Amino acid sequence: MVYDRIKYTLPLGDMHFTSSDFKVYDDDIHRQVDYSLIEKLPDWLRNVKTNLDTIGFENIISTLPNVDGPAIVIDHSFTGSLENHLDLLKGFKGTIFACDRALYKLIPYRIPEYVANLDSSYLCMSFFDRPDVRKIMDKVTAVFATTTFPLTIRHWTGRRVFFTPWVGNDISASVSAITKTPVMQTGGNVATFLWLLATVLKANPIGLIGIDNGFKKMEQTEYPGVPHKKFEGPYGVYFADPVYEWYAKWHLSAIRFVKREKSIETVNCNKGGIMYSEDITDMSLEEFMEKYNK
């Protein structure tokens, strides 16, 4: 079944952190056909060409310094779970990686070190084209895919760093060679990408806030008309469409890998959604701050 995406979803593929780093394979996840490549490849390549010609890719993600300490990855999900944590974030001394749609909610409480946008659609321009966001742009590093919609990048006047998202071996290698940017896997979405980036930058532990990959009401779905699965877990009952179910499975597979191979701990501070497994520590944000915010 093809999902007609207005916003795009990057292919899941195999987990490539960078072209010189490690890979992990999980056949149970990657047997699914991903129609994103078919649906969105023309847009991605058109954006790469426009960005290369008009913006350029002067700074790349491989120049970012290591974190070497605790970090929190923050998304703004439909469940509203982010709002429960904002006030506590005022005192966080570690590194915050914020998804584009979470930035405006976050900045009155804590300006993050990083924000990211990977979307080839025009729909995400509004996340940056805001007076409150413009005021803090010089304090935040924005991470963009080379495939990001050009006007979204132009709205960001602070520091920008770039990478080529993995969309298939030959295509990614060609885009990387043309743009001179490193290839990095994304897990198909910006929240998982930021978690991956945090692991590459040696953050440990990594807290998750607002990354639910599920929702309480069917009206919140981005994919109406397709079958949804009901999940009954430690955080209650949630629903997920096939796309967000893939996101969760892929992310959980990556969490398992980095915990076992890199001793990186991931902590779900959310108390919600379908992001749970034996490889994730369940801890409130209050407990996370008390233990790691030194």
Side-chain angles (χ1 to χ4, degrees), residues 40-193:
K40 291 300 182 181
L41 184 59
D43 290 342
W44 296 338
L45 296 182
R46 187 180 306 113
N47 288 347
V48 169
K49 178 68 163 59
T50 301
N51 289 333
L52 182 63
D53 291 344
T54 63
I55 298 173
F57 307 113
E58 180 180 358
N59 299 309
I60 57 178
I61 58 170
S62 56
T63 62
L64 296 177
N66 285 340
V67 171
D68 292 323
I72 297 177
V73 179
I74 297 177
D75 197 4
H76 182 26
S77 67
F78 286 120
T79 65
S81 55
L82 170 60
E83 282 87 339
N84 301 327
H85 305 289
L86 288 170
D87 197 59
L88 272 173
L89 291 169
K90 289 179 179 178
F92 184 59
K93 301 174 184 177
T95 302
I96 290 183
F97 298 80
C99 297
D100 46 5
R101 62 185 178 182
L103 182 60
Y104 81 97
K105 285 273 186 178
L106 180 60
I107 55 180
Y109 302 88
R110 169 67 156 76
I111 297 173
E113 282 69 30
Y114 295 100
V115 67
N117 175 278
L118 316 182
D119 213 296
S120 61
S121 167
Y122 65 89
L123 292 176
C124 293
M125 287 193 295
S126 62
F127 298 143
F128 296 154
D129 188 19
R130 299 172 51 98
D132 51 351
V133 172
R134 282 193 288 271
K135 289 179 181 178
I136 56 89
M137 284 183 181
D138 61 337
K139 301 176 182 178
V140 183
T141 295
V143 184
F144 293 108
T146 54
T147 52
T148 294
F149 187 65
L151 289 181
T152 302
I153 300 174
R154 284 180 174 271
H155 279 308
W156 188 267
T157 58
R159 187 183 183 220
R160 309 161 174 166
V161 296
F162 296 92
F163 75 102
T164 292
W166 186 92
V167 295
N169 289 334
D170 292 339
I171 298 171
S172 299
S174 296
V175 172
S176 175
I178 292 170
T179 61
K180 296 181 173 56
T181 58
V183 177
M184 184 166 166
Q185 183 53 264
T186 66
N189 65 94
V190 66
T192 305
F193 164 75

